Structure formats: C-alpha cells, structure tokens
C-alpha cells in the first residue's frame, strides 16, 4: 500500500511540472502532447485510486469481519456469563433454601422434643396426685372413727359415761407418754425422752415431713385428739333423752357434735398430708437426700409437694436442664407446669379456707348463743 502512495505522489508532481501553462500557449507549444500526458496521468491516477479503493475495501471487510467476530465472541461470552450467573444464583438460592429448611426442621425438632425435666415433672405431679388421693382416704378413715367417738356411740368409752371417758384418755396417756411428775406419783412408768408428753407437743403432728412408722402416726393422732377433744361427754341415752329436760338438751348436744366433727376434720386433714401414702420418684429421692432427709422410701403428700417445690428452687439438675433447653417452648412448658402446680396448691388452700370459714361461722353462732343467754328467758306462750 505504501508503494501505491509513492507512485501517486510522483505522478502528481509530474503532472504539476508538465501541466499546460496558459501563458505559453501563444508561443506555439504542442497542445496535443500535453493533453495526452494529462490523459495518461489521469488514467494512472484512476488506476492507483482504484487499487487503493480495493485495498481499503478489503481492509474494511477484514475489519468488519474481525469486529463482527469479536462482537460475536463478546456476545457469546456475555451469554455464557449470564448463564453462569444464573446457575450461581440458582445454586445460592438452593443452598439458602436448604439451609432455611434445615433451620426450620431443627426448630421443629426442638419444639417437639421431650425434655428430661418434662418427664420428671410428670412423674412428680403424678406422685403428688396419688399421695393426695390416698391422704383423703386416711382423713376419711380418721373422720369416721372420731365422729363415732364424738357422738359417744356404742363401743366407745363415753357410751358408758364421762368417768369412763376420762379414764380411757388417762390410760392411753399413761401407757405411752408418761412424764416425770406422773411417774413420781406412781401413776405410770416414765416414757422415753422423745415420747414424754408427746401427745401435747405440736411437733408430733407438724414437724416430720412424713411419719416414719405407725408409732409416729399414733403420736400425731393422739396430739390431735388431745387438742380437739380429749374427753367426750357421756352419751345421751335412756331417760336422759326421754325426759323433757333431755329433749331440750339434745339440739345443743348435736350442735356440739357437729362443731367437734368439723374441728377433727381439719386436724385430720393436716395429719393426712404427712401420712406415708406414696413412693417418691427418683428425682424426689435425690432432692430428699440433698436436704438430709433420711426416710426416702415412702413419702407423704406434704413431702412430695415440698420436694417438687424445692428441687426447682435450689436443685442444680433442674437449673442445668433449664439453661440447656434448646427453644423458648421448653422454657414456656416449665413455666406452665409451675403455674399448674401453683393452681393445685391454691385449690388445696381453697378447700382448707372453706373449712376455716365454717369454723368462723361456728364461732359466730356461739357468740350469738352466748349473747342470747344474757337476756331473761321469754315466757312460753300458752297455746
């Protein structure tokens, strides 16, 4: 291409040198030769231009082809890049979806997994309910026996008379709880240190979380009897209820019996809570041992309830399991169980409040009766 340019420049110079000069036409210069030279030069220039045009066209075609190939390749690269980005995005979406699914599945498993404390709470609750039912049986048995005694029924000491009732109570006391003064008087043999006067000590009823044996139960029952009704009045029978005076006294005696029955029911309820009525669970036994309680084979309603409360308040096992619970649902379950236990205790408190309300009603009745007796009896109208 450089050679063509050189020839073109040389021809242009030659044409300039031999170009016709109008100033010399008058001197007879041969115009035909000049025209021929010009024509030849123009042909040479046209040939050079044509060749240059061909070269330029070929170069443009080559450039266009190369550019087109380049653009096509770039387009292919862009298409491949878009496809690759789509695959990368799809892969990321799939990974994120699987990750979220695994997180959800793990959360679902945590929500439905049974915690160790759930089983222990269920066992403890069942033990408490069983103990409560059996304690009610103990209370009922005591109520039946003491109600018959209070009414001075047949085969009870007061059926015979008040003297026999007092002697029966003394005989029971002397045989088990003889103290120093009674022993010095020769009424009985001195009892062991732990038994002297035990039928008068509140600790016999309230101190032990569970009565360890039958003797402990008897001590608690004897204290309750001494507290509420040590001696039952003689039975009203025979001419004591057939005379007009006896007939007039009978309503008062029935009211007395009803009041004493209520008092015994409350005392027996307290006693039954500490009677051995259930086998403690493994968690309750472990808590009892931590607290230094030696008797762990058989528990009471009082002990089972107390151990359930204590092991949640101070037990390291429950605290550790609570800290390790995987989800908020497990913690909420524990809170719900605690609330259930609170409701159960409130229910027991309500039952006791009903009984104490009756006691208050009886006291009000006694005050009203005493107030009425201060007035002069009204005359009995003549029918």
């Amino acid at each position: 291409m450089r050679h063509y340019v050189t020839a073109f420049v040389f021809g242009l110079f030659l044409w300039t040198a031999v170009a016709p000069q109008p100033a010399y036409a008058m001197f007879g210069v041969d115009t035909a030769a000049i025209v021929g030279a010009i024509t030849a030069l123009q042909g040479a220039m046209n040939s050079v231009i044509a060749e240059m045009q061909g070269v330029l066209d070929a170069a443009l075609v080559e450039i266009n082809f190369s550019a087109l190939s380049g653009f096509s390749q770039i387009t292919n690269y862009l298409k491949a890049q878009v496809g690759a980005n789509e695959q990368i995005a799809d892969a990321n979406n799939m990974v994120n979806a699987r990750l979220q699914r695994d997180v959800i599945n793990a959360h679902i498993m945590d929500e439905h997994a049974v915690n160790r404390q759930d089983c222990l709470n269920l066992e403890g609750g069942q033990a408490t309910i069983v103990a409560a039912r059996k304690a009610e049986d103990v209370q009922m048995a005591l109520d039946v026996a003491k109600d018959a005694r209070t009414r001075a029924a047949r085969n009870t000491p007061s059926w015979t008379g008040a003297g026999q009732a007092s002697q029966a109570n003394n005989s029971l006391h002397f045989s088990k709880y003889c103290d120093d003064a009674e022993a010095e008087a020769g009424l009985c043999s001195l009892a062991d240190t732990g038994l002297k006067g035990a039928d008068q000590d509140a600790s016999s009823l309230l101190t032990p979380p569970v009565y360890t044996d039958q003797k402990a139960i008897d001590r608690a029952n004897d204290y309750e009897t001494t507290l509420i009704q040590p001696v039952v009045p003689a039975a009203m029978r025979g001419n004591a209820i057939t005379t007009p005076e006896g007939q007039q006294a009978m309503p008062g005696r029935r009211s007395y019996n009803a009041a004493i029955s209520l008092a015994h029911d409350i005392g027996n309820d307290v006693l039954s809570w500490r009677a051995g009525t259930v086998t403690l669970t493994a968690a309750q036994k472990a808590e009892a041992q931590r607290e230094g309680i030696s008797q762990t084979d058989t528990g009471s309603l009082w002990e089972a309830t107390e151990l359930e409360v204590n092991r949640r308040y101070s037990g390291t096992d429950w605290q550790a399991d609570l800290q390790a619970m995987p989800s908020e649902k497990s913690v909420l379950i524990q809170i719900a169980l605690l609330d259930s236990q609170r409701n159960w205790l409130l229910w027991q408190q309500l039952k006791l409040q009903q009984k104490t309300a009756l006691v208050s009603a009886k006291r009000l009745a006694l005050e009203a009766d005493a107030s009425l007796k201060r007035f002069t009896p009204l005359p009995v109208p003549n029918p």
Side-chain angles (χ1 to χ4, degrees), residues 27-145:
F27 299 105
V29 179
D30 188 3
T31 59
I34 295 172
V35 172
I38 292 173
T39 302
L41 178 59
Q42 289 177 345
M45 290 177 63
N46 291 335
S47 177
V48 172
I49 291 172
E51 290 181 1
M52 290 179 64
Q53 185 67 38
V55 172
L56 291 174
D57 291 342
L60 290 175
V61 171
E62 181 67 23
I63 291 173
N64 289 335
F65 179 77
S66 299
L68 181 62
S69 298
F71 290 149
S72 299
Q73 187 65 29
I74 292 174
T75 302
N76 293 333
Y77 287 157
L78 292 175
K79 290 180 179 179
Q81 185 178 6
V82 171
N85 289 333
E86 290 177 350
Q87 293 179 0
I88 292 173
D90 292 340
N92 287 331
N93 292 336
M94 184 176 295
V95 170
N96 289 330
R98 287 183 177 179
L99 178 61
Q100 294 178 2
R101 184 191 63 185
D102 293 341
V103 171
I104 293 174
N105 290 339
H107 185 70
I108 292 174
M109 291 179 62
D110 291 340
E111 293 287 338
H112 291 82
V114 178
N115 187 270
R116 183 174 75 102
Q117 286 298 328
D118 296 338
C119 298
L120 296 180
N121 294 335
L122 179 60
E123 292 177 357
Q126 289 178 335
T128 301
I129 297 303
V130 170
R133 293 302 182 190
K134 292 183 177 179
E136 290 177 357
D137 295 338
V138 172
Q139 178 186 352
M140 181 62 67
L142 292 173
D143 285 344
V144 170

Side-chain angles (χ1 to χ4, degrees), residues 331-346:
V331 180
L332 291 176
I333 289 175
Q334 297 301 313
I335 296 175
L337 290 172
L338 289 174
D339 194 55
S340 298
Q341 186 182 52
R342 187 181 303 109
N343 290 338
W344 185 84
L345 292 173
L346 290 174

